[in-house]
Amino acid sequence: MAYETIVVEHEDHVATIKLNRPDALNALNSRLLGELTQALREADANDKVRCVILTGSSKAFAAGADIKEMSQKSFVDMYLSDFFGSEHDAIARVRKPIIAAVAGYALGGGCELAMMCDFIIAADTAKFGQPEINLGVIAGIGGTQRLTRLVGKAKSMDMHLTGRFMDAQEAERAGLVSRVVPAKNLMEEAQSAAQKIAERSMLTTMAVKEAVNRAEETSLAEGIRFERRLFHALFSTEDQKEGMAAFLEKREAQFRDR
Ligand code: HXC
C-alpha cells in the first residue's frame, strides 16, 4: 500500500517503518498515525515479518503530536474523537516486537511513541522530552505513566514539569533506552538486533513480550505466576525440544514456530 507520511521497507524478516514528514520533524498528525497503525497491523499479520523497527530521520524521530492540527480543537472534539486513543490501543496490541531506533528529537507524543515500542536504541544525537507543559497541556498518549515506570518519579516529574530534554547518555543511565550507539551506526545496530530476534521462535518471542509487559501491569506475585505458566506451556512446543536438543548436539537450532 502507498503511504504519504511513512515509508515501509522489508529486509529479510524485518519490516522497517520510517516516519516521513521531514518538513514538520515527523510531527504526528492523524494521517501519519492512521498510516502507522495500518502498517503495524499489516506487519503483525504478515507471516514473513518477525520483528519491526520504527524510526524517523537523523534530525527527529518525532517532535510530538502535530501542534498545528491540535491547536484549534475543543474539549468536545478531543473527547468525542477520543484523540489518539484508538491509535494508542492499536499499537499496544501489536504482538510482534517493535524496536524504536531514535535519532534526534523524540518529544511529547514522539517520546511516548518510542516508549510504546518494546525497547529503544538511541543514537548519540537523541533528545527525549515531554515539553507539553510549554503548550498548556500534559502528555496524552501515556507519557506520565510510561516515563515514570521507566525512569522513576524524580526524573519523570522533572521532565514533565520543566519540559527539559534528556540526552541519549542520560536516557541510557536512567533506563529509558537500552543502548546508545554512534548516529551513523543506528540503523545497522537496530537491524542486527531485529535479525537476532527474527531468528528465534516466534512462540518464545511473543511469550517474552507478553511476560515482560505484564510486569508493568500487575503485582510481582501475579507476574511471576503468569511467567511460570508461560514457561511451563512452552514445554508443549516443538521449538523447546529443538532448542534444547540443538544445544546438547552443539549445533544451531532450527525453529519452526511450532
Ligand atoms: C507541528 C512541528 C512540530 C510539532 C516541529 N514542527 N515540531 N509542527 N507540530 N510538534 C515544525 C515547525 O513548526 C517547523 O515548521 C518545522 O517543524 C521545523 O521546526 P523548527 O522549530 O523550525 O526546528 P528547530 O528550531 O530545529 O526546533 C526543533 C524543536 C522545535 C526543538 C523540536 O520544533 C519544537 O520545540 N517543536 C515542538 C516540540 C513539542 O512541543 N512537542 C510536543 C507536542 S504536544 P515550519 O513550517 O515553521 O518550517 C504532544 C502531545 C502528545 O506531543 C499527546 C497527544 C494526545
Side-chain angles (χ1 to χ4, degrees), residues 17 52-56 61 97-103 110-111 113-123 128 177-179 186-187 190:
I17 302 175
V52 177
I53 298 172
L54 182 58
T55 195
F61 177 75
I98 310 174
I99 301 173
V102 175
C111 185
L113 179 61
M115 289 190 289
M116 290 194 72
C117 298
D118 295 305
F119 63 97
I120 301 173
I121 301 181
F128 299 88
V177 312
S178 69
R179 7 179 158 165
L186 177 66
M187 292 319 292

Side-chain angles (χ1 to χ4, degrees), residues 23-25 27 59 63-68 84 107-109 112 132 135 140:
D23 295 345
L25 300 183
K59 177 141 195 222
D66 192 307
I67 300 168
K68 278 184 202 130
F84 285 8
L107 303 178
E112 294 172 291
E132 289 93 337
L135 304 168

Side-chain angles (χ1 to χ4, degrees), residues 74-137:
S74 67
F75 164 75
V76 173
D77 296 330
M78 299 299 264
Y79 189 77
L80 288 183
S81 67
D82 194 21
F83 199 70
F84 285 8
S86 62
E87 292 88 348
H88 172 277
D89 295 350
I91 297 167
R93 267 200 303 276
V94 174
R95 298 186 70 207
K96 291 177 184 167
I98 310 174
I99 301 173
V102 175
Y105 296 109
L107 303 178
C111 185
E112 294 172 291
L113 179 61
M115 289 190 289
M116 290 194 72
C117 298
D118 295 305
F119 63 97
I120 301 173
I121 301 181
D124 51 10
T125 57
K127 288 187 187 63
F128 299 88
Q130 298 287 167
E132 289 93 337
I133 196 148
N134 298 328
L135 304 168
V137 290

Side-chain angles (χ1 to χ4, degrees), residues 12-235:
D12 299 328
H13 294 290
V14 179
T16 298
I17 302 175
K18 186 178 186 311
L19 307 179
N20 189 35
R21 292 189 70 213
D23 295 345
L25 300 183
N26 292 334
L28 311 171
N29 63 6
S30 26
R31 170 110 207 182
L32 184 149
L33 281 165
E35 293 187 351
L36 173 61
T37 49
Q38 171 73 18
L40 284 170
R41 268 196 213 102
E42 281 175 12
D44 219 22
N46 181 343
D47 287 344
K48 290 204 187 91
V49 175
R50 302 175 71 82
C51 189
V52 177
I53 298 172
L54 182 58
T55 195
S57 68
S58 58
K59 177 141 195 222
F61 177 75
D66 192 307
I67 300 168
K68 278 184 202 130
E69 190 181 76
M70 279 185 301
S71 64
Q72 294 308 313
K73 297 224 187 261
S74 67
F75 164 75
V76 173
D77 296 330
M78 299 299 264
Y79 189 77
L80 288 183
S81 67
D82 194 21
F83 199 70
F84 285 8
S86 62
E87 292 88 348
H88 172 277
D89 295 350
I91 297 167
R93 267 200 303 276
V94 174
R95 298 186 70 207
K96 291 177 184 167
I98 310 174
I99 301 173
V102 175
Y105 296 109
L107 303 178
C111 185
E112 294 172 291
L113 179 61
M115 289 190 289
M116 290 194 72
C117 298
D118 295 305
F119 63 97
I120 301 173
I121 301 181
D124 51 10
T125 57
K127 288 187 187 63
F128 299 88
Q130 298 287 167
E132 289 93 337
I133 196 148
N134 298 328
L135 304 168
V137 290
I138 68 169
I141 36 178
T144 60
Q145 306 305 300
R146 288 202 173 87
L147 190 64
T148 308
R149 280 168 165 80
L150 285 165
V151 306
K153 179 180 168 186
K155 263 193 202 290
S156 180
M157 277 289 187
D158 180 0
M159 303 288 291
H160 285 282
L161 288 174
T162 69
R164 79 172 174 90
F165 300 165
M166 213 191 251
D167 68 20
Q169 280 70 28
E170 184 182 2
E172 187 183 26
R173 281 198 305 278
L176 173 57
V177 312
S178 69
R179 7 179 158 165
V180 179
V181 299
K184 65 177 173 24
N185 300 342
L186 177 66
M187 292 319 292
E188 192 187 317
E189 186 88 4
Q191 187 68 31
S192 139
Q195 292 291 357
K196 273 206 179 73
I197 292 168
E199 286 164 15
R200 307 281 153 58
S201 168
M202 191 52 77
L203 292 165
T204 47
T205 297
M206 284 181 172
V208 166
K209 180 161 169 162
E210 263 195 279
V212 174
N213 282 338
R214 194 55 75 99
E216 297 196 317
E217 287 163 10
T218 192
S219 69
L220 181 61
E222 277 306 319
I224 286 173
R225 267 194 286 276
F226 181 76
E227 176 197 78
R228 192 183 303 136
R229 288 295 168 250
L230 278 179
F231 173 70
H232 292 163
L234 289 166
F235 282 75

